[in-house]
Amino acid sequence: MTGEFERISLFTAPFEKGGGGVVAGPGDDCALTRPRPGWLLVSKVDELVEDVHFSAAFRPEEVGHKALAVALSDLAAAGATPRWFLVALGLPPGFPDRRLAGLAKGMSALASRTGAILVGGNLTRAGALSLTVTALGEAREGEALRRSGARPGYELLVSGSLGGAALGLRLLSKDGGSRRSWRRSWRRSAAVRSQLTPEPRVGLGTIAGRYAAAGIDLSDGLLQDLGHLCERSAVGAELYEENLPLSPEVKRLGAEGLELALGGGEDYELLFAVAPERVAPFVRAAKRRGESLTRIGRIVEGRGIRLLGKGGAPLPLPASAGWDHFR
Amino acid sequence: MTGEFERISLFTAPFEKGGGGVVAGPGDDCALTRPRPGWLLVSKVDELVEDVHFSAAFRPEEVGHKALAVALSDLAAAGATPRWFLVALGLPPGFPDRRLAGLAKGMSALASRTGAILVGGNLTRAGALSLTVTALGEAREGEALRRSGARPGYELLVSGSLGGAALGLRLLSKDGGSRRSWRRSWRRSAAVRSQLTPEPRVGLGTIAGRYAAAGIDLSDGLLQDLGHLCERSAVGAELYEENLPLSPEVKRLGAEGLELALGGGEDYELLFAVAPERVAPFVRAAKRRGESLTRIGRIVEGRGIRLLGKGGAPLPLPASAGWDHFR
């Protein structure tokens, strides 16, 4: 194990340097950046802690990827384009250089693909491995999305598919992550991959501000996160059960799959409330960027979330989804 | 102990809401801010961890104060005016609400005094109490300070006095922080207070960009931090021993006090390299703001730091200061 400055160099080595409005990056007391005119968005601080947010089943590259992905997903939900980010690492005593390099590799690959530039961070001793990321992004004035912009009559659109990350977590937990042969076969499952390395919807985020009225990313699960959005907007919502885009592995589970799609967290898909006349243009613009958007419901007056089956008959909400204060 | 959302409310309650260029604060996926034209400065991520960076001798209010102070000191060293900050809290299981409120009280008092606005954060479980702060500030274009701006012939100016925080740490460590009566008497010592609640030189930071060419804050100790500045600027430095502004308690310790002033960390004073013709105006402008600046040395060609006694005779650098790679 090397000294503190060597470890910082080891970590920062694979990240791209300079450009992107950075006047001075890591190494000074502060990073110096030049924002474009408009709004600056600062992601909430997202912290991943070993054994709380990820297990030994995760490879270091996957932990590094996920820590940044979660922060970029926050920016995307707000309609922001990522610019800069900071990362604070808490490393347990004796943490091997090889694993530190793995964290950096996974994180830098996602950073370079999404145009997010590392501008600073910190390295400290900790009881358990932890990664704390704060990301900064920009939006044109008036084009950033908040949770509070949903109005009755607006449609609910969700990106990608639902329930995969929760199923992946279940598959990983079953086997404890101790056997190498299992690890390899797990990774063939799309559900497991979406748990290990969720892909933040960065491209969708950069256009969402032009079409949507409110946005949130699905970290706690569709019902919980839709609940947050409704609460902030002082509205209710209806969900169309047969429209929910379950991933194929999740769909095969039947009722249990529906529970995962409604209550399972960590999909990091984006949920938007969109005025009816903007739905079609938004869906088309997303498609041009290779992103799918599915109409899964609508905003209504009042409070609470209702799940509707075929023909509009109300269905019971699964009790396990942990959102019963919204009923 | 209350639930997660209640604890977040409990923590954020004493902080000022809105204003200060904040379009949307905590509660959304992102904070939405409106930067002024110019440069945006992002402090390195500063993390305080219980038993690593602070002990049980600290009251919660003092921990909250110090976590923010350290980040604001980074901004001040870079010549930035604080605008916004984020805080990630890692709380051990069973952490009492009363202590959480104490952290918030100490931090919000400093925030409101310095104009820094809480715009987001995170709360997570952790093995030990930890506070991670990232602060954002602004400077006029071209007026931010970096470590790399020092040139031979520039004078070295330091704010306040040196060695107090290290002496305070020593006093606190002696008694382990277990006896309440001791705690009260400790707090009469200015050295102990500068360890517990260092005052970031925020006012000085807001004017420093007009006068200084390089800046750094003293977190690791004068010799180490001056070493960082010299390394970045590719220069050496001379320090005048008799000019070093030792705090009275530190001065009384003689040679040991000098060691604390040179090698002891956490003073969170600011060190600037200033072109000779700008020294007098800088000192006057600082004085008008109630801040003292002392000329303690100058930048020279070459590498390394030399300590000079009366008449310019070189003095040995104390071996305990942990910077001998600069000799």
Side-chain angles (χ1 to χ4, degrees):
Chain A
M1 215 176 65
T2 41
E4 191 191 344
F5 291 105
E6 287 74 23
R7 301 181 98 190
I8 291 173
S9 300
L10 182 68
F11 184 81
T12 58
F15 290 89
E16 288 177 31
K17 303 299 180 300
V22 176
V23 185
D28 263 87
D29 284 311
C30 294
L32 207 60
T33 62
R34 198 191 306 271
R36 289 186 280 238
W39 281 350
L40 176 78
L41 290 96
V42 188
S43 78
K44 65 177 152 52
V45 184
D46 286 299
E47 183 168 12
L48 294 194
V49 180
E50 181 146 36
D51 297 329
V52 180
H53 304 100
F54 61 92
S55 68
F58 281 69
R59 291 176 181 152
E61 290 78 2
E62 291 158 349
V63 174
H65 171 104
K66 190 162 180 173
L68 178 58
V70 167
L72 294 181
S73 180
D74 280 333
L75 287 181
T81 301
R83 301 288 321 264
W84 312 295
F85 70 101
L86 302 108
V87 52
L89 292 173
L91 302 184
F95 191 79
D97 284 350
R98 183 179 38 76
R99 291 191 66 200
L100 184 61
L103 295 173
K105 193 179 163 193
M107 189 177 283
S108 62
L110 178 60
S112 110
R113 206 146 41 74
T114 54
I117 295 172
L118 177 72
V119 292
N122 187 47
L123 196 143
T124 191
R125 267 177 297 157
L129 173 62
S130 76
L131 297 90
T132 306
V133 175
T134 304
L136 303 171
E138 292 177 337
R140 275 186 273 186
E141 176 132 11
E143 283 197 359
L145 296 176
R146 299 171 59 180
R147 296 180 178 179
S148 54
R151 300 287 169 265
Y154 286 13
E155 308 246 15
L156 285 168
L157 302 185
V158 76
S159 66
S161 66
L162 300 173
L167 174 59
L169 181 64
R170 190 184 290 185
L171 295 171
L172 288 173
S173 311
K174 246 181 208 158
D175 292 279
S178 55
R179 277 169 296 165
R180 275 184 174 274
S181 61
W182 265 103
R183 289 203 201 180
R184 267 183 232 115
S185 65
W186 283 338
R187 284 179 171 73
R188 276 182 229 128
S189 152
V192 168
R193 284 199 308 273
S194 72
Q195 166 62 223
L196 295 170
T197 51
E199 188 61 31
R201 301 290 182 185
V202 171
L204 197 53
T206 62
I207 60 166
R210 279 173 248 161
Y211 303 100
I216 192 168
D217 73 323
L218 302 185
S219 51
D220 297 336
L222 175 59
L223 286 178
Q224 276 225 39
D225 291 313
L226 174 56
H228 296 318
L229 188 139
C230 286
E231 207 173 7
R232 280 282 176 148
S233 299
V235 295
E238 288 173 354
L239 290 173
Y240 316 136
E241 185 259 331
E242 56 178 352
N243 286 21
L244 294 175
L246 274 52
S247 72
E249 284 169 281
V250 171
K251 199 160 206 162
R252 277 199 292 276
L253 299 176
E256 204 185 345
L258 179 63
E259 277 190 45
L260 289 176
L262 290 169
E266 299 195 276
D267 279 324
Y268 296 106
E269 297 295 351
L270 303 181
L271 176 69
F272 298 109
V274 186
E277 69 278 11
R278 299 204 167 183
V279 170
F282 190 16
V283 172
R284 277 198 303 273
K287 205 171 178 181
R288 281 194 299 271
R289 297 183 159 254
E291 301 276 3
S292 73
L293 282 173
T294 309
R295 294 173 44 189
I296 59 166
R298 64 185 191 106
I299 298 293
V300 298
E301 308 250 5
R303 306 287 277 184
I305 297 169
R306 295 194 311 152
L307 182 64
L308 305 180
K310 268 185 191 162
L315 297 175
L317 288 171
S320 62
W323 35 265
D324 54 356
H325 53 293
F326 293 117
R327 286 186 98 158
Chain B
M1 216 177 66
T2 42
E4 191 191 344
F5 292 104
E6 288 74 23
R7 301 181 99 191
I8 292 173
S9 301
L10 181 67
F11 184 81
T12 57
F15 290 88
E16 288 177 30
K17 303 294 181 303
V22 177
V23 185
D28 263 86
D29 286 310
C30 294
L32 208 59
T33 62
R34 197 191 307 267
R36 289 185 280 237
W39 281 351
L40 176 77
L41 289 98
V42 188
S43 78
K44 64 178 152 53
V45 183
D46 286 298
E47 185 168 12
L48 295 194
V49 180
E50 182 146 35
D51 296 329
V52 180
H53 304 101
F54 61 92
S55 68
F58 281 69
R59 290 174 181 153
E61 289 79 0
E62 291 158 349
V63 174
H65 171 103
K66 189 162 181 173
L68 178 59
V70 167
L72 295 181
S73 180
D74 280 334
L75 288 181
T81 301
R83 302 288 320 262
W84 312 297
F85 69 102
L86 302 108
V87 53
L89 290 174
L91 302 184
F95 191 78
D97 285 351
R98 183 180 38 78
R99 291 191 65 199
L100 184 61
L103 295 174
K105 192 179 164 195
M107 188 177 284
S108 62
L110 178 60
S112 113
R113 207 145 42 74
T114 55
I117 296 172
L118 178 72
V119 292
N122 187 48
L123 195 144
T124 191
R125 267 176 298 154
L129 173 62
S130 75
L131 296 92
T132 306
V133 175
T134 305
L136 303 171
E138 292 177 337
R140 276 187 271 184
E141 176 134 7
E143 284 197 358
L145 295 177
R146 299 170 61 180
R147 295 180 179 179
S148 54
R151 300 289 170 263
Y154 285 13
E155 309 246 12
L156 286 168
L157 303 185
V158 75
S159 66
S161 66
L162 301 172
L167 174 60
L169 181 64
R170 189 183 290 185
L171 295 172
L172 289 172
S173 311
K174 246 182 209 155
D175 292 279
S178 55
R179 277 170 295 165
R180 274 184 174 274
S181 61
W182 266 101
R183 290 203 201 181
R184 267 182 233 116
S185 65
W186 282 339
R187 283 177 172 74
R188 275 181 231 130
S189 152
V192 168
R193 285 200 309 273
S194 71
Q195 166 62 224
L196 295 169
T197 52
E199 188 61 31
R201 300 290 181 185
V202 171
L204 197 52
T206 61
I207 60 166
R210 278 174 247 159
Y211 302 99
I216 192 169
D217 73 323
L218 301 185
S219 52
D220 297 336
L222 175 60
L223 286 178
Q224 278 224 41
D225 291 314
L226 174 56
H228 297 319
L229 188 138
C230 285
E231 206 171 9
R232 281 281 175 151
S233 299
V235 294
E238 288 174 352
L239 290 173
Y240 317 136
E241 185 260 330
E242 58 178 350
N243 285 23
L244 294 175
L246 275 50
S247 73
E249 283 169 282
V250 171
K251 199 160 206 162
R252 276 199 291 277
L253 299 177
E256 206 185 346
L258 179 62
E259 279 191 41
L260 290 175
L262 291 169
E266 299 195 276
D267 278 324
Y268 296 106
E269 296 296 352
L270 303 181
L271 176 68
F272 298 110
V274 187
E277 69 277 11
R278 298 202 168 184
V279 169
F282 189 16
V283 172
R284 278 198 303 271
K287 204 170 178 183
R288 281 195 298 271
R289 294 181 161 256
E291 301 276 5
S292 72
L293 281 173
T294 309
R295 293 172 47 189
I296 59 166
R298 63 186 191 105
I299 299 293
V300 298
E301 307 250 6
R303 307 287 276 182
I305 298 168
R306 295 195 309 153
L307 182 64
L308 305 180
K310 267 188 190 156
L315 296 176
L317 289 170
S320 63
W323 35 264
D324 53 357
H325 53 294
F326 292 116
R327 287 184 99 161

